[in-house]
Amino acid sequence: MKQKKKLSSLDYLLIPTGWGRQRKKRALEEINSGRKVKNMIILNGNDSEEDILYLGKILKRKEKIGIVTFPLHFQEYKEIIKKAQKEKKFPKEIRVENIATQQTIKQFIYGLLGLAEERFDKRVNYAKNEHESHFKKKLKKFLKKILK
């Protein structure tokens, strides 16, 4: 007889906005699976960096968080967290888990672009968006419109 894997509890279940129905459905599945969740937060920042900088102000060392998103977006979050920890804008020893949603082809493309952008940008600085070129802002807006 196959035994069920015991799910560890989460201090925070984090649900980024965008692709909302898919993420909310997955979050409910996780809660209905019997996993204990102490807090749930809808992340509604303008982008992933703003979400991570916000979380950096409320999380404590050794807490466990689950991020409800598709796999490539989760990788982008992990990149931002590493940079934010180096800059002391996010606590160390946070355990991060992907509460994975299915990844559509649009999300795959969006995820690749976001991950590439984070790997090229060496710092976490939400204010950087104010200094992006007009072309880069237009391109990002255009890509988001196509992919959503």
Side-chain angles (χ1 to χ4, degrees), residues 8-16 30 35-41 43 51-56 58-69 74 77-78 80-82 85 90-100:
S8 62
S9 65
L10 294 172
D11 293 299
Y12 290 92
L13 181 64
L14 308 169
I15 308 167
E30 196 66 18
R35 178 171 281 199
K36 291 185 178 166
V37 175
K38 294 178 186 171
N39 302 288
M40 193 160 47
I41 298 176
L43 299 173
D51 290 341
I52 295 301
L53 292 173
Y54 165 74
L55 289 171
I58 63 170
L59 296 176
K60 308 284 185 262
R61 286 176 64 146
K62 298 189 178 185
E63 288 185 309
K64 183 167 185 177
I65 62 175
I67 303 175
V68 182
T69 193
F74 179 70
Y77 272 118
K78 284 178 44 177
I80 297 167
I81 288 169
K82 279 194 264 182
Q85 286 174 329
F90 196 90
K92 298 208 182 233
E93 297 182 42
I94 296 291
R95 292 171 291 154
V96 183
E97 179 181 333
N98 186 202
I99 310 301

Side-chain angles (χ1 to χ4, degrees), residues 2-144:
K2 191 174 186 181
Q3 286 195 358
K4 275 189 170 181
K5 180 182 172 189
K6 187 175 185 300
L7 298 171
S8 62
S9 65
L10 294 172
D11 293 299
Y12 290 92
L13 181 64
L14 308 169
I15 308 167
T17 55
W19 288 289
R21 175 177 281 161
Q22 179 192 42
R23 290 178 176 160
K24 288 175 187 171
K25 181 182 173 191
R26 181 65 183 97
L28 286 174
E29 288 172 359
E30 196 66 18
I31 291 167
N32 291 334
S33 74
R35 178 171 281 199
K36 291 185 178 166
V37 175
K38 294 178 186 171
N39 302 288
M40 193 160 47
I41 298 176
I42 304 289
L43 299 173
N44 57 7
N46 289 318
D47 65 12
S48 300
E49 285 191 347
E50 187 175 18
D51 290 341
I52 295 301
L53 292 173
Y54 165 74
L55 289 171
K57 294 175 183 175
I58 63 170
L59 296 176
K60 308 284 185 262
R61 286 176 64 146
K62 298 189 178 185
E63 288 185 309
K64 183 167 185 177
I65 62 175
I67 303 175
V68 182
T69 193
F70 54 94
L72 276 173
H73 191 226
F74 179 70
Q75 292 302 318
E76 179 183 347
Y77 272 118
K78 284 178 44 177
E79 287 287 322
I80 297 167
I81 288 169
K82 279 194 264 182
K83 290 188 288 187
Q85 286 174 329
K86 285 181 184 175
E87 296 175 26
K88 297 184 181 358
K89 295 178 182 177
F90 196 90
K92 298 208 182 233
E93 297 182 42
I94 296 291
R95 292 171 291 154
V96 183
E97 179 181 333
N98 186 202
I99 310 301
T101 61
Q102 290 185 342
Q103 185 167 271
T104 66
I105 189 69
K106 287 180 181 180
Q107 290 169 327
F108 178 78
I109 294 166
Y110 182 81
L112 279 179
L113 294 171
L115 188 56
E117 180 181 15
E118 290 308 325
R119 290 203 171 148
F120 286 115
D121 193 2
K122 299 298 179 202
R123 299 196 67 222
V124 176
N125 183 6
Y126 179 67
K128 76 174 174 139
N129 291 336
E130 297 172 9
H131 305 290
E132 286 181 336
S133 71
H134 181 68
F135 173 75
K136 188 174 178 183
K137 284 181 186 177
K138 290 280 190 188
L139 179 62
K140 284 170 87 172
K141 187 176 180 179
F142 173 73
L143 288 172
K144 280 185 179 181

